[in-house]
Amino acid sequence: MATGLLVTGLLAAPAGAQSRTDATTGPGAPIGTVARTVGDARFEPGPCPKTPEPIEELDGARCGTLTVPENRAESTGKMIRLGVAIVPAESDTPKPDPIVWLAGGPGDDAVGEAKMAIDGGLNRDRDVIFMSQRGTYSADPTLLCPDIDEFNARAVGLRNDAPSTERLHVEATKACRDQLAARGIDLGAYNDTESAADYEDLRSALGVKQWNLYGISYGTHLALVYMRLHPEGLRAVGLDGILPPSKSGSAATWSSARQGFDGLFKACAEQPACNKRYPNLSATFDRLVRELEAKPVTTTVTLPGSDKPVKVVLDGGALVNWMTSATHVAPQVPAALDELAHGKPQRIAQQWAGGKLSPQAMGRIAHGLVYGVFCSEWTPYESKDAALQGGQKEFPNYPRSVQAQAPQLTFLGPDCAAWDVPAAPPSIRDATRGDIPTLALSGGFDSQTGADNGPYVARTLPNAKVVTVPFEPHVVFATSKCAQEITASFFDDPAAPKTACLNSLKAPEFEIAP
């Protein structure tokens, strides 16, 4: 259901004219209250985009719909619609350049992340714009695939990286592809190049001369493409949990895992109580990966809100993938690993299953966009054994079966073969260059997009400020008041973000079991 209020007092004229404004509110109208057509794109005020649950932060937002071509390279005339929500600035005198929030994923809907952005104070003195990236939950058409979500939930009871699991995984992917193609969706049009053009069309259709970007996780990938293709309307860009298109892929996820794991293990080793109770935690983890891959553990757990038992199989690959997310609950990790080492897998099994069976994991991710990006921009430009090579480099003692499946990207190669979309132009892998002021934020515990991606992107962005927030997981804006303060100061003055709060940060107190 729509969560916003219908903008009244506006009459939308038919599309078709070039660069025409249909305004009934005068030249000083707030952005998002005027219907406008620019080229092939049209913005019309209207109800706020649908969200899975009501989002209070969208109350009072100015909303509407952007209509754009599905495939700008093909003159089919087919159009798609993207939901737009603009949360007004808290200030009575907002700055003229709004901030655009680019969601993670790929496949997450920016509108659904409004609470995170507003809770972090991003709209202090600027409007914040959320648009559903093409294919996502509040777009039309949506490229959701609930069958994949349901398989991922069932798969917690299977060997994570077994050939039999691979066959079922690829079958679910192929079924999703067939369903979307049968709806007439051009699967090759759901990628960063088209999405970047969507946002540029939105800027023009809203009549915004210049704006700022804030991308989280995959949103940084899209932001870097946008910066390269459409730099003229950008004042400043924040990147949080950085995923550079020029190096993203299976091998890079192993590097990120190594950095995040090591950051957490080092913090435990430097905390006397943690080091005494859980000595050599890194070696314990590596041993558990090897042992579980040789002899998986099967257990049964119940999840919050349900009394239905869930079968969980933990092998080495499952443990690695659990750990990439478990840095978000870092204080629990040493105790959880110790429990597992002493025959108590329930905590890890419950967290592993909970992430796959939670309501947030069901029917919300646009898998068509996930594979549209990965299978056109990543897999065509990496070798078939890139995951294995990355695993062997970063974790040489792991079993080959674990090394062959990159964290977060299990079976990506076979999935992309089934998805069968054209490769993006090689330029999609170009490093982003230019003088746009950029904040490159990373977390010291980030095992999903390693902190070394900050200095990496800054090599070709001379006005980039690189900041690593210690002891924080992936997407520091979501968890760190210090990161939020740095971000606010960056948009105030992109040349001089204030980072003094970093000096007072301390490692979390790790849970110490009796």
Side-chain angles (χ1 to χ4, degrees), residues 206-241:
L206 292 178
V208 175
K209 181 179 180 181
Q210 195 174 51
W211 64 14
N212 308 276
L213 303 180
Y214 195 82
I216 64 165
S217 190
Y218 158 73
T220 67
H221 195 281
L222 176 56
L224 287 161
V225 173
Y226 188 173
M227 292 166 71
R228 184 170 57 82
L229 297 178
H230 307 284
E232 56 276 2
L234 297 178
R235 170 183 175 266
V237 176
L239 306 173
D240 180 354

PDB file of all heavy atoms in Angstrom, residues 206-241:
ATOM      1  N   LEU A 206      13.172  16.962 -12.218  1.00  0.00           N
ATOM      2  CA  LEU A 206      12.863  17.710 -11.006  1.00  0.00           C
ATOM      3  C   LEU A 206      13.338  19.160 -11.083  1.00  0.00           C
ATOM      4  O   LEU A 206      13.034  19.960 -10.198  1.00  0.00           O
ATOM      5  CB  LEU A 206      13.495  17.040  -9.778  1.00  0.00           C
ATOM      6  CG  LEU A 206      12.926  15.687  -9.357  1.00  0.00           C
ATOM      7  CD1 LEU A 206      13.695  15.133  -8.160  1.00  0.00           C
ATOM      8  CD2 LEU A 206      11.433  15.787  -9.037  1.00  0.00           C
ATOM      9  N   GLY A 207      14.091  19.472 -12.122  1.00  0.00           N
ATOM     10  CA  GLY A 207      14.598  20.835 -12.263  1.00  0.00           C
ATOM     11  C   GLY A 207      15.702  21.175 -11.291  1.00  0.00           C
ATOM     12  O   GLY A 207      15.872  22.338 -10.902  1.00  0.00           O
ATOM     13  N   VAL A 208      16.483  20.176 -10.881  1.00  0.00           N
ATOM     14  CA  VAL A 208      17.580  20.387  -9.934  1.00  0.00           C
ATOM     15  C   VAL A 208      18.865  20.653 -10.720  1.00  0.00           C
ATOM     16  O   VAL A 208      19.268  19.820 -11.542  1.00  0.00           O
ATOM     17  CB  VAL A 208      17.762  19.163  -9.016  1.00  0.00           C
ATOM     18  CG1 VAL A 208      18.976  19.341  -8.111  1.00  0.00           C
ATOM     19  CG2 VAL A 208      16.505  18.921  -8.190  1.00  0.00           C
ATOM     20  N   LYS A 209      19.502  21.766 -10.453  1.00  0.00           N
ATOM     21  CA  LYS A 209      20.730  22.106 -11.170  1.00  0.00           C
ATOM     22  C   LYS A 209      21.884  21.211 -10.739  1.00  0.00           C
ATOM     23  O   LYS A 209      22.677  20.732 -11.565  1.00  0.00           O
ATOM     24  CB  LYS A 209      21.090  23.575 -10.940  1.00  0.00           C
ATOM     25  CG  LYS A 209      22.353  24.015 -11.673  1.00  0.00           C
ATOM     26  CD  LYS A 209      22.649  25.488 -11.435  1.00  0.00           C
ATOM     27  CE  LYS A 209      23.923  25.911 -12.165  1.00  0.00           C
ATOM     28  NZ  LYS A 209      24.236  27.354 -11.910  1.00  0.00           N
ATOM     29  N   GLN A 210      21.994  20.990  -9.447  1.00  0.00           N
ATOM     30  CA  GLN A 210      23.114  20.210  -8.916  1.00  0.00           C
ATOM     31  C   GLN A 210      22.658  19.521  -7.642  1.00  0.00           C
ATOM     32  O   GLN A 210      21.904  20.083  -6.849  1.00  0.00           O
ATOM     33  CB  GLN A 210      24.303  21.138  -8.620  1.00  0.00           C
ATOM     34  CG  GLN A 210      25.623  20.431  -8.417  1.00  0.00           C
ATOM     35  CD  GLN A 210      26.783  21.416  -8.272  1.00  0.00           C
ATOM     36  OE1 GLN A 210      26.711  22.337  -7.465  1.00  0.00           O
ATOM     37  NE2 GLN A 210      27.837  21.222  -9.033  1.00  0.00           N
ATOM     38  N   TRP A 211      23.114  18.277  -7.451  1.00  0.00           N
ATOM     39  CA  TRP A 211      22.777  17.570  -6.229  1.00  0.00           C
ATOM     40  C   TRP A 211      23.942  16.724  -5.759  1.00  0.00           C
ATOM     41  O   TRP A 211      25.016  16.686  -6.374  1.00  0.00           O
ATOM     42  CB  TRP A 211      21.494  16.771  -6.371  1.00  0.00           C
ATOM     43  CG  TRP A 211      21.470  15.620  -7.360  1.00  0.00           C
ATOM     44  CD1 TRP A 211      22.529  15.019  -7.986  1.00  0.00           C
ATOM     45  CD2 TRP A 211      20.289  14.947  -7.825  1.00  0.00           C
ATOM     46  NE1 TRP A 211      22.084  14.015  -8.814  1.00  0.00           N
ATOM     47  CE2 TRP A 211      20.720  13.942  -8.738  1.00  0.00           C
ATOM     48  CE3 TRP A 211      18.934  15.071  -7.567  1.00  0.00           C
ATOM     49  CZ2 TRP A 211      19.824  13.076  -9.384  1.00  0.00           C
ATOM     50  CZ3 TRP A 211      18.058  14.216  -8.196  1.00  0.00           C
ATOM     51  CH2 TRP A 211      18.483  13.230  -9.106  1.00  0.00           C
ATOM     52  N   ASN A 212      23.748  16.062  -4.616  1.00  0.00           N
ATOM     53  CA  ASN A 212      24.766  15.224  -3.993  1.00  0.00           C
ATOM     54  C   ASN A 212      24.284  13.780  -3.995  1.00  0.00           C
ATOM     55  O   ASN A 212      23.081  13.508  -3.997  1.00  0.00           O
ATOM     56  CB  ASN A 212      25.012  15.656  -2.542  1.00  0.00           C
ATOM     57  CG  ASN A 212      25.306  17.132  -2.405  1.00  0.00           C
ATOM     58  OD1 ASN A 212      26.436  17.581  -2.575  1.00  0.00           O
ATOM     59  ND2 ASN A 212      24.274  17.923  -2.100  1.00  0.00           N
ATOM     60  N   LEU A 213      25.213  12.849  -3.949  1.00  0.00           N
ATOM     61  CA  LEU A 213      24.877  11.431  -3.848  1.00  0.00           C
ATOM     62  C   LEU A 213      25.400  10.878  -2.527  1.00  0.00           C
ATOM     63  O   LEU A 213      26.480  11.264  -2.059  1.00  0.00           O
ATOM     64  CB  LEU A 213      25.513  10.619  -4.978  1.00  0.00           C
ATOM     65  CG  LEU A 213      25.224  11.002  -6.430  1.00  0.00           C
ATOM     66  CD1 LEU A 213      25.965  10.047  -7.365  1.00  0.00           C
ATOM     67  CD2 LEU A 213      23.734  10.995  -6.715  1.00  0.00           C
ATOM     68  N   TYR A 214      24.640   9.951  -1.935  1.00  0.00           N
ATOM     69  CA  TYR A 214      25.151   9.138  -0.836  1.00  0.00           C
ATOM     70  C   TYR A 214      24.778   7.698  -1.125  1.00  0.00           C
ATOM     71  O   TYR A 214      23.597   7.326  -1.122  1.00  0.00           O
ATOM     72  CB  TYR A 214      24.579   9.566   0.525  1.00  0.00           C
ATOM     73  CG  TYR A 214      25.366   8.972   1.671  1.00  0.00           C
ATOM     74  CD1 TYR A 214      26.555   9.579   2.086  1.00  0.00           C
ATOM     75  CD2 TYR A 214      24.980   7.802   2.309  1.00  0.00           C
ATOM     76  CE1 TYR A 214      27.314   9.036   3.113  1.00  0.00           C
ATOM     77  CE2 TYR A 214      25.727   7.258   3.330  1.00  0.00           C
ATOM     78  CZ  TYR A 214      26.895   7.871   3.731  1.00  0.00           C
ATOM     79  OH  TYR A 214      27.661   7.332   4.738  1.00  0.00           O
ATOM     80  N   GLY A 215      25.783   6.885  -1.427  1.00  0.00           N
ATOM     81  CA  GLY A 215      25.558   5.491  -1.763  1.00  0.00           C
ATOM     82  C   GLY A 215      26.084   4.590  -0.674  1.00  0.00           C
ATOM     83  O   GLY A 215      27.160   4.831  -0.117  1.00  0.00           O
ATOM     84  N   ILE A 216      25.316   3.533  -0.374  1.00  0.00           N
ATOM     85  CA  ILE A 216      25.771   2.536   0.588  1.00  0.00           C
ATOM     86  C   ILE A 216      25.938   1.201  -0.125  1.00  0.00           C
ATOM     87  O   ILE A 216      25.139   0.832  -0.975  1.00  0.00           O
ATOM     88  CB  ILE A 216      24.814   2.393   1.784  1.00  0.00           C
ATOM     89  CG1 ILE A 216      23.431   1.858   1.353  1.00  0.00           C
ATOM     90  CG2 ILE A 216      24.668   3.698   2.536  1.00  0.00           C
ATOM     91  CD1 ILE A 216      22.569   1.362   2.499  1.00  0.00           C
ATOM     92  N   SER A 217      27.016   0.486   0.196  1.00  0.00           N
ATOM     93  CA  SER A 217      27.248  -0.854  -0.335  1.00  0.00           C
ATOM     94  C   SER A 217      27.165  -0.848  -1.860  1.00  0.00           C
ATOM     95  O   SER A 217      27.885  -0.091  -2.511  1.00  0.00           O
ATOM     96  CB  SER A 217      26.246  -1.826   0.307  1.00  0.00           C
ATOM     97  OG  SER A 217      26.556  -3.164   0.003  1.00  0.00           O
ATOM     98  N   TYR A 218      26.287  -1.667  -2.451  1.00  0.00           N
ATOM     99  CA  TYR A 218      26.171  -1.649  -3.910  1.00  0.00           C
ATOM    100  C   TYR A 218      25.862  -0.252  -4.434  1.00  0.00           C
ATOM    101  O   TYR A 218      26.243   0.091  -5.568  1.00  0.00           O
ATOM    102  CB  TYR A 218      25.098  -2.635  -4.388  1.00  0.00           C
ATOM    103  CG  TYR A 218      24.584  -2.271  -5.747  1.00  0.00           C
ATOM    104  CD1 TYR A 218      25.366  -2.481  -6.886  1.00  0.00           C
ATOM    105  CD2 TYR A 218      23.351  -1.636  -5.898  1.00  0.00           C
ATOM    106  CE1 TYR A 218      24.921  -2.083  -8.140  1.00  0.00           C
ATOM    107  CE2 TYR A 218      22.901  -1.246  -7.141  1.00  0.00           C
ATOM    108  CZ  TYR A 218      23.690  -1.466  -8.259  1.00  0.00           C
ATOM    109  OH  TYR A 218      23.248  -1.053  -9.486  1.00  0.00           O
ATOM    110  N   GLY A 219      25.194   0.579  -3.640  1.00  0.00           N
ATOM    111  CA  GLY A 219      24.914   1.951  -4.079  1.00  0.00           C
ATOM    112  C   GLY A 219      26.171   2.730  -4.412  1.00  0.00           C
ATOM    113  O   GLY A 219      26.133   3.676  -5.213  1.00  0.00           O
ATOM    114  N   THR A 220      27.318   2.338  -3.822  1.00  0.00           N
ATOM    115  CA  THR A 220      28.576   2.998  -4.177  1.00  0.00           C
ATOM    116  C   THR A 220      29.023   2.591  -5.581  1.00  0.00           C
ATOM    117  O   THR A 220      29.644   3.369  -6.303  1.00  0.00           O
ATOM    118  CB  THR A 220      29.682   2.662  -3.165  1.00  0.00           C
ATOM    119  OG1 THR A 220      30.026   1.269  -3.259  1.00  0.00           O
ATOM    120  CG2 THR A 220      29.242   2.966  -1.738  1.00  0.00           C
ATOM    121  N   HIS A 221      28.735   1.348  -5.952  1.00  0.00           N
ATOM    122  CA  HIS A 221      29.025   0.834  -7.291  1.00  0.00           C
ATOM    123  C   HIS A 221      28.286   1.684  -8.326  1.00  0.00           C
ATOM    124  O   HIS A 221      28.871   2.183  -9.306  1.00  0.00           O
ATOM    125  CB  HIS A 221      28.553  -0.617  -7.334  1.00  0.00           C
ATOM    126  CG  HIS A 221      29.039  -1.456  -8.471  1.00  0.00           C
ATOM    127  ND1 HIS A 221      28.494  -1.382  -9.732  1.00  0.00           N
ATOM    128  CD2 HIS A 221      29.993  -2.432  -8.532  1.00  0.00           C
ATOM    129  CE1 HIS A 221      29.096  -2.270 -10.523  1.00  0.00           C
ATOM    130  NE2 HIS A 221      30.003  -2.918  -9.813  1.00  0.00           N
ATOM    131  N   LEU A 222      26.969   1.879  -8.082  1.00  0.00           N
ATOM    132  CA  LEU A 222      26.163   2.706  -8.975  1.00  0.00           C
ATOM    133  C   LEU A 222      26.633   4.150  -8.961  1.00  0.00           C
ATOM    134  O   LEU A 222      26.694   4.805 -10.010  1.00  0.00           O
ATOM    135  CB  LEU A 222      24.693   2.606  -8.556  1.00  0.00           C
ATOM    136  CG  LEU A 222      23.701   3.475  -9.323  1.00  0.00           C
ATOM    137  CD1 LEU A 222      23.762   3.224 -10.819  1.00  0.00           C
ATOM    138  CD2 LEU A 222      22.283   3.249  -8.788  1.00  0.00           C
ATOM    139  N   ALA A 223      26.985   4.664  -7.777  1.00  0.00           N
ATOM    140  CA  ALA A 223      27.447   6.048  -7.684  1.00  0.00           C
ATOM    141  C   ALA A 223      28.711   6.276  -8.516  1.00  0.00           C
ATOM    142  O   ALA A 223      28.851   7.301  -9.199  1.00  0.00           O
ATOM    143  CB  ALA A 223      27.706   6.424  -6.226  1.00  0.00           C
ATOM    144  N   LEU A 224      29.632   5.329  -8.462  1.00  0.00           N
ATOM    145  CA  LEU A 224      30.883   5.483  -9.218  1.00  0.00           C
ATOM    146  C   LEU A 224      30.625   5.435 -10.725  1.00  0.00           C
ATOM    147  O   LEU A 224      31.285   6.140 -11.497  1.00  0.00           O
ATOM    148  CB  LEU A 224      31.884   4.413  -8.790  1.00  0.00           C
ATOM    149  CG  LEU A 224      32.494   4.645  -7.397  1.00  0.00           C
ATOM    150  CD1 LEU A 224      33.093   3.365  -6.839  1.00  0.00           C
ATOM    151  CD2 LEU A 224      33.543   5.753  -7.445  1.00  0.00           C
ATOM    152  N   VAL A 225      29.664   4.619 -11.156  1.00  0.00           N
ATOM    153  CA  VAL A 225      29.282   4.618 -12.571  1.00  0.00           C
ATOM    154  C   VAL A 225      28.631   5.948 -12.931  1.00  0.00           C
ATOM    155  O   VAL A 225      28.940   6.558 -13.969  1.00  0.00           O
ATOM    156  CB  VAL A 225      28.337   3.440 -12.882  1.00  0.00           C
ATOM    157  CG1 VAL A 225      27.793   3.543 -14.308  1.00  0.00           C
ATOM    158  CG2 VAL A 225      29.059   2.114 -12.692  1.00  0.00           C
ATOM    159  N   TYR A 226      27.744   6.422 -12.074  1.00  0.00           N
ATOM    160  CA  TYR A 226      27.070   7.710 -12.305  1.00  0.00           C
ATOM    161  C   TYR A 226      28.104   8.834 -12.409  1.00  0.00           C
ATOM    162  O   TYR A 226      28.028   9.691 -13.304  1.00  0.00           O
ATOM    163  CB  TYR A 226      26.091   7.942 -11.153  1.00  0.00           C
ATOM    164  CG  TYR A 226      25.152   9.117 -11.281  1.00  0.00           C
ATOM    165  CD1 TYR A 226      24.138   9.300 -10.347  1.00  0.00           C
ATOM    166  CD2 TYR A 226      25.236  10.053 -12.311  1.00  0.00           C
ATOM    167  CE1 TYR A 226      23.252  10.362 -10.430  1.00  0.00           C
ATOM    168  CE2 TYR A 226      24.364  11.116 -12.400  1.00  0.00           C
ATOM    169  CZ  TYR A 226      23.378  11.274 -11.461  1.00  0.00           C
ATOM    170  OH  TYR A 226      22.515  12.323 -11.543  1.00  0.00           O
ATOM    171  N   MET A 227      29.070   8.849 -11.504  1.00  0.00           N
ATOM    172  CA  MET A 227      30.111   9.888 -11.519  1.00  0.00           C
ATOM    173  C   MET A 227      30.878   9.889 -12.833  1.00  0.00           C
ATOM    174  O   MET A 227      31.267  10.938 -13.339  1.00  0.00           O
ATOM    175  CB  MET A 227      31.074   9.672 -10.354  1.00  0.00           C
ATOM    176  CG  MET A 227      30.476   9.908  -8.974  1.00  0.00           C
ATOM    177  SD  MET A 227      31.534   9.260  -7.649  1.00  0.00           S
ATOM    178  CE  MET A 227      32.900  10.436  -7.706  1.00  0.00           C
ATOM    179  N   ARG A 228      31.097   8.691 -13.374  1.00  0.00           N
ATOM    180  CA  ARG A 228      31.862   8.585 -14.615  1.00  0.00           C
ATOM    181  C   ARG A 228      31.047   9.013 -15.824  1.00  0.00           C
ATOM    182  O   ARG A 228      31.567   9.664 -16.735  1.00  0.00           O
ATOM    183  CB  ARG A 228      32.347   7.135 -14.777  1.00  0.00           C
ATOM    184  CG  ARG A 228      33.248   6.891 -15.973  1.00  0.00           C
ATOM    185  CD  ARG A 228      33.867   5.502 -15.929  1.00  0.00           C
ATOM    186  NE  ARG A 228      32.876   4.434 -15.872  1.00  0.00           N
ATOM    187  CZ  ARG A 228      32.236   3.954 -16.947  1.00  0.00           C
ATOM    188  NH1 ARG A 228      32.476   4.472 -18.155  1.00  0.00           N
ATOM    189  NH2 ARG A 228      31.364   2.976 -16.828  1.00  0.00           N
ATOM    190  N   LEU A 229      29.761   8.680 -15.824  1.00  0.00           N
ATOM    191  CA  LEU A 229      28.933   8.934 -17.003  1.00  0.00           C
ATOM    192  C   LEU A 229      28.224  10.280 -16.987  1.00  0.00           C
ATOM    193  O   LEU A 229      27.963  10.858 -18.044  1.00  0.00           O
ATOM    194  CB  LEU A 229      27.884   7.819 -17.139  1.00  0.00           C
ATOM    195  CG  LEU A 229      28.415   6.414 -17.371  1.00  0.00           C
ATOM    196  CD1 LEU A 229      27.264   5.421 -17.445  1.00  0.00           C
ATOM    197  CD2 LEU A 229      29.260   6.354 -18.648  1.00  0.00           C
ATOM    198  N   HIS A 230      27.892  10.779 -15.786  1.00  0.00           N
ATOM    199  CA  HIS A 230      27.089  12.011 -15.693  1.00  0.00           C
ATOM    200  C   HIS A 230      27.640  12.925 -14.593  1.00  0.00           C
ATOM    201  O   HIS A 230      26.934  13.246 -13.624  1.00  0.00           O
ATOM    202  CB  HIS A 230      25.628  11.665 -15.391  1.00  0.00           C
ATOM    203  CG  HIS A 230      25.027  10.672 -16.330  1.00  0.00           C
ATOM    204  ND1 HIS A 230      24.638  10.996 -17.614  1.00  0.00           N
ATOM    205  CD2 HIS A 230      24.748   9.353 -16.167  1.00  0.00           C
ATOM    206  CE1 HIS A 230      24.138   9.922 -18.208  1.00  0.00           C
ATOM    207  NE2 HIS A 230      24.201   8.909 -17.359  1.00  0.00           N
ATOM    208  N   PRO A 231      28.866  13.377 -14.715  1.00  0.00           N
ATOM    209  CA  PRO A 231      29.467  14.158 -13.631  1.00  0.00           C
ATOM    210  C   PRO A 231      28.947  15.587 -13.507  1.00  0.00           C
ATOM    211  O   PRO A 231      29.100  16.212 -12.458  1.00  0.00           O
ATOM    212  CB  PRO A 231      30.955  14.158 -13.994  1.00  0.00           C
ATOM    213  CG  PRO A 231      30.965  14.059 -15.497  1.00  0.00           C
ATOM    214  CD  PRO A 231      29.801  13.163 -15.835  1.00  0.00           C
ATOM    215  N   GLU A 232      28.304  16.098 -14.567  1.00  0.00           N
ATOM    216  CA  GLU A 232      28.032  17.535 -14.619  1.00  0.00           C
ATOM    217  C   GLU A 232      27.069  18.029 -13.544  1.00  0.00           C
ATOM    218  O   GLU A 232      27.138  19.197 -13.141  1.00  0.00           O
ATOM    219  CB  GLU A 232      27.484  17.906 -16.005  1.00  0.00           C
ATOM    220  CG  GLU A 232      26.230  17.138 -16.437  1.00  0.00           C
ATOM    221  CD  GLU A 232      26.505  15.777 -17.056  1.00  0.00           C
ATOM    222  OE1 GLU A 232      27.685  15.365 -17.140  1.00  0.00           O
ATOM    223  OE2 GLU A 232      25.538  15.129 -17.480  1.00  0.00           O
ATOM    224  N   GLY A 233      26.177  17.186 -13.045  1.00  0.00           N
ATOM    225  CA  GLY A 233      25.207  17.653 -12.058  1.00  0.00           C
ATOM    226  C   GLY A 233      25.558  17.312 -10.630  1.00  0.00           C
ATOM    227  O   GLY A 233      24.710  17.456  -9.737  1.00  0.00           O
ATOM    228  N   LEU A 234      26.789  16.871 -10.370  1.00  0.00           N
ATOM    229  CA  LEU A 234      27.167  16.391  -9.041  1.00  0.00           C
ATOM    230  C   LEU A 234      28.010  17.411  -8.289  1.00  0.00           C
ATOM    231  O   LEU A 234      29.037  17.871  -8.784  1.00  0.00           O
ATOM    232  CB  LEU A 234      27.932  15.072  -9.161  1.00  0.00           C
ATOM    233  CG  LEU A 234      27.135  13.908  -9.768  1.00  0.00           C
ATOM    234  CD1 LEU A 234      28.010  12.670  -9.881  1.00  0.00           C
ATOM    235  CD2 LEU A 234      25.891  13.614  -8.943  1.00  0.00           C
ATOM    236  N   ARG A 235      27.577  17.746  -7.080  1.00  0.00           N
ATOM    237  CA  ARG A 235      28.338  18.636  -6.203  1.00  0.00           C
ATOM    238  C   ARG A 235      29.323  17.849  -5.350  1.00  0.00           C
ATOM    239  O   ARG A 235      30.506  18.211  -5.240  1.00  0.00           O
ATOM    240  CB  ARG A 235      27.394  19.410  -5.295  1.00  0.00           C
ATOM    241  CG  ARG A 235      28.095  20.193  -4.180  1.00  0.00           C
ATOM    242  CD  ARG A 235      27.085  20.878  -3.281  1.00  0.00           C
ATOM    243  NE  ARG A 235      27.731  21.524  -2.141  1.00  0.00           N
ATOM    244  CZ  ARG A 235      27.892  20.973  -0.942  1.00  0.00           C
ATOM    245  NH1 ARG A 235      27.464  19.713  -0.726  1.00  0.00           N
ATOM    246  NH2 ARG A 235      28.479  21.629   0.042  1.00  0.00           N
ATOM    247  N   ALA A 236      28.842  16.758  -4.718  1.00  0.00           N
ATOM    248  CA  ALA A 236      29.692  15.949  -3.843  1.00  0.00           C
ATOM    249  C   ALA A 236      29.078  14.563  -3.730  1.00  0.00           C
ATOM    250  O   ALA A 236      27.863  14.390  -3.885  1.00  0.00           O
ATOM    251  CB  ALA A 236      29.828  16.587  -2.461  1.00  0.00           C
ATOM    252  N   VAL A 237      29.922  13.569  -3.418  1.00  0.00           N
ATOM    253  CA  VAL A 237      29.476  12.177  -3.375  1.00  0.00           C
ATOM    254  C   VAL A 237      30.027  11.500  -2.127  1.00  0.00           C
ATOM    255  O   VAL A 237      31.237  11.547  -1.872  1.00  0.00           O
ATOM    256  CB  VAL A 237      29.932  11.399  -4.631  1.00  0.00           C
ATOM    257  CG1 VAL A 237      29.539   9.934  -4.529  1.00  0.00           C
ATOM    258  CG2 VAL A 237      29.349  12.027  -5.894  1.00  0.00           C
ATOM    259  N   GLY A 238      29.139  10.856  -1.373  1.00  0.00           N
ATOM    260  CA  GLY A 238      29.553  10.033  -0.243  1.00  0.00           C
ATOM    261  C   GLY A 238      29.452   8.562  -0.615  1.00  0.00           C
ATOM    262  O   GLY A 238      28.430   8.122  -1.159  1.00  0.00           O
ATOM    263  N   LEU A 239      30.505   7.813  -0.347  1.00  0.00           N
ATOM    264  CA  LEU A 239      30.557   6.376  -0.632  1.00  0.00           C
ATOM    265  C   LEU A 239      30.768   5.654   0.695  1.00  0.00           C
ATOM    266  O   LEU A 239      31.756   5.902   1.386  1.00  0.00           O
ATOM    267  CB  LEU A 239      31.701   6.045  -1.591  1.00  0.00           C
ATOM    268  CG  LEU A 239      31.758   6.804  -2.923  1.00  0.00           C
ATOM    269  CD1 LEU A 239      33.051   6.466  -3.663  1.00  0.00           C
ATOM    270  CD2 LEU A 239      30.545   6.480  -3.777  1.00  0.00           C
ATOM    271  N   ASP A 240      29.883   4.722   1.035  1.00  0.00           N
ATOM    272  CA  ASP A 240      29.926   4.068   2.340  1.00  0.00           C
ATOM    273  C   ASP A 240      29.808   2.552   2.145  1.00  0.00           C
ATOM    274  O   ASP A 240      28.757   2.041   1.782  1.00  0.00           O
ATOM    275  CB  ASP A 240      28.759   4.595   3.179  1.00  0.00           C
ATOM    276  CG  ASP A 240      28.692   3.992   4.578  1.00  0.00           C
ATOM    277  OD1 ASP A 240      29.469   3.075   4.881  1.00  0.00           O
ATOM    278  OD2 ASP A 240      27.844   4.448   5.366  1.00  0.00           O
ATOM    279  N   GLY A 241      30.925   1.839   2.417  1.00  0.00           N
ATOM    280  CA  GLY A 241      30.967   0.402   2.130  1.00  0.00           C
ATOM    281  C   GLY A 241      31.214   0.217   0.652  1.00  0.00           C
ATOM    282  O   GLY A 241      30.332  -0.158  -0.107  1.00  0.00           O
TER     283      GLY A 241
END
